[in-house]
Amino acid sequence: MRIVLDLQGCQSVSRLRGIGRYSMALAKAIVRNARGHEAWIVLNDLFPDTVESIRHAFSDLMPVERIAVFSLPPLNLYRGVDDWRTRAAEMIREHAIAELEPDLVHVSSLFEGYVDNSVTSIKALYPEVLTAVTLYDLIPYLNPDKYLVDGGFKQHYMGKIAGLKRADVLLGISAYCGEEAASELRIPREKITNISSAVSDAFRPIEFSESERAAVLRKFNIRRPFVMTTGIVEPRKNLDGLIVAYSRLPAELRKRYQLFMVCQATESNSAKLYELAKSNGLSRDDLVLAGYVSDKDLIALYNLCHLFVFPSLHEGFGLPALEAMACGAAVIGSGTTSIPEVIQRKDALFDPLNLPEMTTMMKRALDERAFWDLLRSNAIERASEFSWDATGKRALEAFEKAHAAHGSAVAEKRADEAQSHYGQLLDALGNINLPVTEADFLSSAHAIAANQRVGRVPQLFVDVSVLCEHDAKSGIQRVTRSILLHLLKSPPAGWQVRPVRLDRSAKEYRYANAFWRTLHTGDAPVDEADEWLDTQQGDIFLGLDLVADWVPLVEQWFVRQRRRGVKIHFVVYDLLPVMHPDWFPEVIALCFPPWLKTLSHVSDGLIGISRAVADDLRVWLDTNPADRQRELKLGYFHLGADIDSSQPSKGIPADAPETLRKLRSKPTVLMVGTVEPRKGHVQAIAAFEKLWSDGLDVNLVIVGKAGWGLDEFAKKLEQHPEMNRHLFWLQGASDEFLAQIYQASTVLLTASNGEGFGLPLIEAAQKGLPIITRELPVFREVAGEYAYYFDGASAEALADAVQAWLAANAAGQVPSSAGMPWLTWAESADRIKAVLLGENWSHVVPGRDFHM
C-alpha cells in the first residue's frame, strides 16, 4: 500500500501540545514498521516555518522525496463553513493528495482549522479514497455548553464530526475513546481500532547532578520539593479543583512542598489561578505557574517532581500521566474516562469532583513512604507496557484490513480516474454555491498548478544567470557553458534539463528560453517567453553559474523552493576570496562571505570543482556552522579539459610566427592565467630576473590579461628591458593561438598561490608539455606524480627550482606529464549527474540537533 500521512497536526499550534507529540510519534512508528508499505507524508505550505523541522524529524526514517508539501490559497482565520475559499481549499488539498495516488490517507488531527491554516476533510471530493482518522476525544461534542458556544466554531466542529462518520478507519487512542465514538456517534465498531498510546524514549528516568537539579529548579522558580501537574487552562483539566484540594492539605505538608503547574496560562488566566489560590489560603510562593516548557525541561521536571497529580475530568487517553510515569514519577489521577487505562492501580485513582478524596490521596502519597514507593515502582513497570511500535503496528493492521476489504475496487477506479481527477476538481469548484471573488479564483488556480504531479517530468534547473548576459569565453563561463551543453545533449534519464536565469528586479528565477535557443542544442523550449519557473517536489536546482553578489538577496526564493521539496545544489569554484580576501578586489572579497553563508543555509548539497575545494568547504563549515536542521552534503567533480567541445575562441595575431620562432629558439617557461596577486607572477618575474642576471638563456612567456591589483607590476612588465627578448606577455591570446604557444614551449609553470582546480596543468599534459608547479593540495590532486613540485615564496626558491628542473630535463630525469588522467566535458557532466542523482557525495555535515 501507499499510505499518505497528513501531518498538519504537527504544524499547527497543536505541535506544542499532546496532539502534536502524538501525531509525530504515531507517524514515526507507522513509517518504522511499514513492512513493505510505502509511506508518504504531506504537509501544508501555509505553515512554512514547520516544514524543515518535520523533514528533519524523519530524515533517518524515510527518503526526503516522500515528504510532500501541498499548496493552498491563503485563508482567513475564524472562517466559517460558508466561506468559498475554505471549501475550495478542502477540495484542493484532497486533489493534491490524490496526485500521489494513495491507497489510504491518514489524517492525524481532523478537528483543527478554525483558528489556524489547517485544512482537513474526509471524502469531500474523492469518496473512493480510503481515509483513516485519529480520534483523540469527543469532549466538545459531549459538552457543547462549554466548548461550542461560538456559533462559527460549532459549525466548523460539527462539520468535522460529519466527516469523521465518513472515515473508513477510526484510530482511537484508548478503548474508552473508541467506545465513545461507537455509542455517541453510532460509528460501526468494526471501523474502530484502539491503537492506544505511548511516550517517546526520551521520557525516562534520568540521574541529575546537584548542580543540574538546582539549575532546572531555579529556571522555573521552584524552591521546595514540588507536586506537579500539566494541562492547559480549561474546565475539563480541573486545575481549579486541584488548587482547592491542595489548599486543604495539612499546613505542615504545604510548607514542605510547592504546587507546580505547566499550564501555558495567559496573563488573565494566571491572575485568576493565583487569586483562587489566595482565596483558599495559599501564599504566592505555594503555587508556581509555567508557560510553554520544552520537552527537555518537561522530562527534567517529571524526573524531579515528588508527586504528579492528573486531576482531569475527561481525557481521550491521558498522555501526561504516562509521560510522568515513564520518567519514574509517583502518579495519582482521576478515575474517569480513559485515565484508569493508563494508571491502572485503583488505589492511585480518585474521583476528580470529590475534592476531599483528592486531598486525602495527595496526603497519603506525600506522607506515606511505602505508598509513594509503590507508586514509583508501578510507574516504570506500567509505562513499559506501552510502546509506540505496538501502537504503529495496530494502526497498520487497521489500514491493511480496510485495504483488503476495499483496496482492489480502489485500484481499479484509480486507473480509470487518474486522468479525470483534474476535471472532477474543476467541476466541484464550479459547483460551490457561495459568494466568490476573482482573487479567490486566482489564488486557487495558483495552488492547483503548484500541486500538479501526474504526468509531470522532473526538471533539472541549471543557473546561467551570468552566462546568458555575457559569455566571457573563459573561466567560470566556460565551465557553465560546457556543462550545460552536455547536460542538454545528454539529460539524465527521465529528466528535463532547463537553463534558468535570475530576474534581478523581481528576485525570482525565470526559464532562460531565449538563451537556450541560441545554443541550438537539446529540445527547443515550448514557451516563447522566459516564463517564471514552475517548480515541484523532486526538481533540482543547480547553481552552476557564479552569482555571488545576488544569491544572498534572493535567499527567500531558495528557502521557499527547498520547502516545496526542490533540492538546491550549488557548484563552488573556490573559497579563495574568503580565505585570502587581500588577493581580490574589495567588491568580491565582501560579497563572498554572505554568499557562502546563504549557500550553507539554503542548500542540500555543495559541489566543489575539486576534492581540495570540498575539503576547504568542510573546514569553513566547521568554523562557520550553518544554522540548519537537515544535513548538508559535500561533493566534488573535476572540470573537463577538451577545449574543442567548449566552443574555443579563434584567431591568430599577425606577429604570431615571429613570436613562436623566438619561443622555440631556447628553453621557454610558460605561465597561463590572468595577471593578478595570487597567480605568482611577481615571484616568477623576480626569479627569472635572477636567472637572467646569472646568465641563464631562458624565456618566460605569460599568457593572460592584466587583472586586478597589480597596476604598477603591469606597467613594469610592459616596460621590462627583456620584453620580447626573454620575456613575452601575450594578453589577448585566443584558444587557437594558445594551443600553438603550448607546442612552442618547454615547460609549464603554475606558480599560483591558490586555485580551485588547475586546468592549465591538464592542457599542458594533453600536449605532452612537462610541468613545474607549486606544492598545493589541488595541484597534487590534478597532476599527481606527473609534475615537478616546488615550494617557497621567495624569488630564490623559484629560481632554484627552475634551474634544477632545466638540469634534470637535460639529463632526461623530469616527470613526464603524458600519462596524466583528465576528463572530457561530457565525463565532467556525468560526474555532476553522479553526485546529484547518484548521491555520490564525499562528506555529510550533520544539521544541528533538533527534538521534535
Side-chain angles (χ1 to χ4, degrees), residues 41-68:
I41 288 171
V42 291
L43 303 172
N44 181 342
D45 74 347
L46 298 181
F47 295 96
D49 295 337
T50 64
V51 173
E52 277 299 289
S53 60
I54 294 173
R55 281 198 174 120
H56 173 74
F58 285 87
S59 59
D60 294 332
L61 294 174
M62 65 193 302
V64 69
E65 292 82 4
R66 294 217 298 262
I67 302 179

Short mmCIF file of all heavy atoms in Angstrom, two decimals, residues 41-68:
data_model
loop_
_atom_site.label_atom_id
_atom_site.label_comp_id
_atom_site.label_asym_id
_atom_site.label_seq_id
_atom_site.Cartn_x
_atom_site.Cartn_y
_atom_site.Cartn_z
N ILE A 41 4.43 11.45 3.54
CA ILE A 41 3.92 12.48 4.45
C ILE A 41 3.55 13.70 3.62
O ILE A 41 4.27 14.07 2.69
CB ILE A 41 4.97 12.86 5.51
CG1 ILE A 41 5.13 11.72 6.52
CG2 ILE A 41 4.60 14.15 6.23
CD1 ILE A 41 6.28 11.90 7.48
N VAL A 42 2.40 14.30 3.92
CA VAL A 42 2.03 15.54 3.27
C VAL A 42 1.90 16.64 4.32
O VAL A 42 1.42 16.42 5.42
CB VAL A 42 0.72 15.42 2.46
CG1 VAL A 42 0.93 14.54 1.24
CG2 VAL A 42 -0.44 14.92 3.31
N LEU A 43 2.37 17.84 3.91
CA LEU A 43 2.36 19.00 4.79
C LEU A 43 1.71 20.17 4.07
O LEU A 43 1.65 20.21 2.84
CB LEU A 43 3.79 19.36 5.21
CG LEU A 43 4.59 18.26 5.91
CD1 LEU A 43 6.04 18.70 6.08
CD2 LEU A 43 3.97 17.90 7.24
N ASN A 44 1.27 21.14 4.85
CA ASN A 44 0.54 22.30 4.37
C ASN A 44 1.50 23.48 4.25
O ASN A 44 2.15 23.87 5.22
CB ASN A 44 -0.58 22.61 5.36
CG ASN A 44 -1.44 23.79 4.98
OD1 ASN A 44 -1.06 24.61 4.16
ND2 ASN A 44 -2.61 23.88 5.59
N ASP A 45 1.60 24.08 3.04
CA ASP A 45 2.55 25.17 2.86
C ASP A 45 2.14 26.47 3.53
O ASP A 45 2.90 27.44 3.53
CB ASP A 45 2.83 25.41 1.37
CG ASP A 45 1.69 26.11 0.64
OD1 ASP A 45 0.57 26.19 1.19
OD2 ASP A 45 1.91 26.56 -0.51
N LEU A 46 0.96 26.50 4.15
CA LEU A 46 0.56 27.69 4.90
C LEU A 46 1.18 27.72 6.30
O LEU A 46 0.97 28.65 7.06
CB LEU A 46 -0.97 27.77 5.00
CG LEU A 46 -1.71 27.91 3.66
CD1 LEU A 46 -3.21 27.99 3.88
CD2 LEU A 46 -1.22 29.13 2.89
N PHE A 47 1.95 26.66 6.61
CA PHE A 47 2.74 26.63 7.85
C PHE A 47 4.22 26.52 7.47
O PHE A 47 4.89 25.52 7.77
CB PHE A 47 2.35 25.44 8.73
CG PHE A 47 0.95 25.47 9.26
CD1 PHE A 47 -0.06 24.78 8.60
CD2 PHE A 47 0.63 26.17 10.41
CE1 PHE A 47 -1.36 24.80 9.07
CE2 PHE A 47 -0.67 26.18 10.90
CZ PHE A 47 -1.67 25.49 10.24
N PRO A 48 4.76 27.52 6.80
CA PRO A 48 6.11 27.38 6.22
C PRO A 48 7.22 27.12 7.22
O PRO A 48 8.18 26.43 6.91
CB PRO A 48 6.31 28.72 5.50
CG PRO A 48 5.39 29.68 6.17
CD PRO A 48 4.19 28.87 6.56
N ASP A 49 7.08 27.64 8.43
CA ASP A 49 8.18 27.54 9.40
C ASP A 49 8.31 26.15 10.02
O ASP A 49 9.26 25.90 10.77
CB ASP A 49 8.01 28.57 10.51
CG ASP A 49 8.12 30.00 9.99
OD1 ASP A 49 8.73 30.19 8.93
OD2 ASP A 49 7.57 30.92 10.64
N THR A 50 7.37 25.27 9.72
CA THR A 50 7.39 23.93 10.34
C THR A 50 7.93 22.85 9.41
O THR A 50 8.22 21.74 9.86
CB THR A 50 5.98 23.52 10.78
OG1 THR A 50 5.14 23.41 9.62
CG2 THR A 50 5.38 24.56 11.72
N VAL A 51 8.03 23.15 8.12
CA VAL A 51 8.35 22.12 7.14
C VAL A 51 9.72 21.51 7.38
O VAL A 51 9.89 20.29 7.41
CB VAL A 51 8.22 22.68 5.71
CG1 VAL A 51 8.71 21.65 4.69
CG2 VAL A 51 6.78 23.06 5.41
N GLU A 52 10.73 22.37 7.55
CA GLU A 52 12.09 21.86 7.71
C GLU A 52 12.24 20.99 8.95
O GLU A 52 12.92 19.98 8.93
CB GLU A 52 13.08 23.03 7.76
CG GLU A 52 13.49 23.56 6.41
CD GLU A 52 14.18 22.50 5.56
OE1 GLU A 52 15.33 22.13 5.87
OE2 GLU A 52 13.56 22.02 4.60
N SER A 53 11.61 21.39 10.06
CA SER A 53 11.76 20.62 11.29
C SER A 53 11.13 19.24 11.15
O SER A 53 11.65 18.26 11.68
CB SER A 53 11.14 21.38 12.47
OG SER A 53 9.78 21.61 12.27
N ILE A 54 10.02 19.15 10.42
CA ILE A 54 9.38 17.85 10.24
C ILE A 54 10.21 16.98 9.30
O ILE A 54 10.41 15.78 9.54
CB ILE A 54 7.94 18.02 9.72
CG1 ILE A 54 7.08 18.70 10.81
CG2 ILE A 54 7.33 16.68 9.33
CD1 ILE A 54 5.69 19.08 10.37
N ARG A 55 10.72 17.58 8.22
CA ARG A 55 11.60 16.81 7.33
C ARG A 55 12.80 16.29 8.12
O ARG A 55 13.23 15.14 7.94
CB ARG A 55 12.06 17.69 6.17
CG ARG A 55 11.01 17.86 5.07
CD ARG A 55 11.66 18.35 3.78
NE ARG A 55 10.69 18.37 2.70
CZ ARG A 55 10.34 19.45 2.02
NH1 ARG A 55 10.88 20.61 2.32
NH2 ARG A 55 9.46 19.38 1.04
N HIS A 56 13.35 17.14 8.97
CA HIS A 56 14.50 16.72 9.77
C HIS A 56 14.11 15.57 10.71
O HIS A 56 14.89 14.63 10.89
CB HIS A 56 15.01 17.90 10.58
CG HIS A 56 16.08 17.55 11.56
ND1 HIS A 56 17.38 17.25 11.20
CD2 HIS A 56 16.05 17.41 12.92
CE1 HIS A 56 18.08 16.96 12.26
NE2 HIS A 56 17.31 17.05 13.33
N ALA A 57 12.93 15.65 11.29
CA ALA A 57 12.49 14.62 12.24
C ALA A 57 12.40 13.24 11.59
O ALA A 57 12.56 12.22 12.27
CB ALA A 57 11.14 15.01 12.84
N PHE A 58 12.17 13.20 10.27
CA PHE A 58 12.02 11.92 9.58
C PHE A 58 13.24 11.59 8.72
O PHE A 58 13.19 10.63 7.93
CB PHE A 58 10.76 11.94 8.70
CG PHE A 58 9.49 11.81 9.47
CD1 PHE A 58 8.88 12.94 9.99
CD2 PHE A 58 8.92 10.58 9.72
CE1 PHE A 58 7.70 12.85 10.72
CE2 PHE A 58 7.75 10.46 10.45
CZ PHE A 58 7.14 11.60 10.96
N SER A 59 14.33 12.35 8.86
CA SER A 59 15.47 12.20 7.96
C SER A 59 16.09 10.81 8.02
O SER A 59 16.66 10.35 7.03
CB SER A 59 16.52 13.27 8.27
OG SER A 59 16.96 13.17 9.62
N ASP A 60 16.00 10.15 9.17
CA ASP A 60 16.60 8.82 9.30
C ASP A 60 15.60 7.70 9.03
O ASP A 60 15.97 6.52 9.10
CB ASP A 60 17.18 8.63 10.71
CG ASP A 60 18.34 9.56 10.99
OD1 ASP A 60 19.03 9.94 10.03
OD2 ASP A 60 18.55 9.91 12.17
N LEU A 61 14.37 8.05 8.71
CA LEU A 61 13.32 7.03 8.59
C LEU A 61 12.81 6.85 7.17
O LEU A 61 12.32 5.77 6.83
CB LEU A 61 12.14 7.40 9.50
CG LEU A 61 12.40 7.38 11.01
CD1 LEU A 61 11.19 7.89 11.76
CD2 LEU A 61 12.74 5.96 11.46
N MET A 62 12.89 7.89 6.34
CA MET A 62 12.32 7.79 5.01
C MET A 62 13.01 8.78 4.08
O MET A 62 13.58 9.77 4.55
CB MET A 62 10.81 8.07 5.05
CG MET A 62 10.45 9.48 5.46
SD MET A 62 8.68 9.70 5.85
CE MET A 62 7.91 9.20 4.32
N PRO A 63 12.97 8.53 2.77
CA PRO A 63 13.58 9.49 1.83
C PRO A 63 12.86 10.83 1.91
O PRO A 63 11.64 10.89 2.01
CB PRO A 63 13.37 8.82 0.46
CG PRO A 63 13.09 7.39 0.75
CD PRO A 63 12.41 7.35 2.08
N VAL A 64 13.63 11.89 1.84
CA VAL A 64 13.04 13.22 1.93
C VAL A 64 12.09 13.46 0.76
O VAL A 64 11.15 14.26 0.86
CB VAL A 64 14.16 14.29 1.98
CG1 VAL A 64 14.89 14.38 0.65
CG2 VAL A 64 13.59 15.64 2.36
N GLU A 65 12.29 12.74 -0.35
CA GLU A 65 11.43 12.91 -1.51
C GLU A 65 9.99 12.47 -1.23
O GLU A 65 9.08 12.83 -1.98
CB GLU A 65 11.97 12.10 -2.70
CG GLU A 65 13.28 12.61 -3.25
CD GLU A 65 14.48 12.12 -2.45
OE1 GLU A 65 14.29 11.33 -1.51
OE2 GLU A 65 15.61 12.54 -2.77
N ARG A 66 9.79 11.70 -0.17
CA ARG A 66 8.44 11.22 0.13
C ARG A 66 7.76 12.10 1.19
O ARG A 66 6.76 11.68 1.79
CB ARG A 66 8.47 9.76 0.57
CG ARG A 66 8.90 8.82 -0.56
CD ARG A 66 8.17 7.51 -0.54
NE ARG A 66 8.39 6.72 0.64
CZ ARG A 66 9.26 5.73 0.74
NH1 ARG A 66 10.02 5.42 -0.30
NH2 ARG A 66 9.40 5.06 1.85
N ILE A 67 8.29 13.28 1.41
CA ILE A 67 7.62 14.27 2.26
C ILE A 67 7.21 15.41 1.34
O ILE A 67 8.03 16.22 0.91
CB ILE A 67 8.53 14.77 3.39
CG1 ILE A 67 8.99 13.59 4.26
CG2 ILE A 67 7.81 15.81 4.23
CD1 ILE A 67 9.91 13.97 5.39
N ALA A 68 5.94 15.45 1.00
CA ALA A 68 5.43 16.40 0.01
C ALA A 68 4.73 17.56 0.71
O ALA A 68 4.12 17.39 1.78
CB ALA A 68 4.46 15.70 -0.95
#
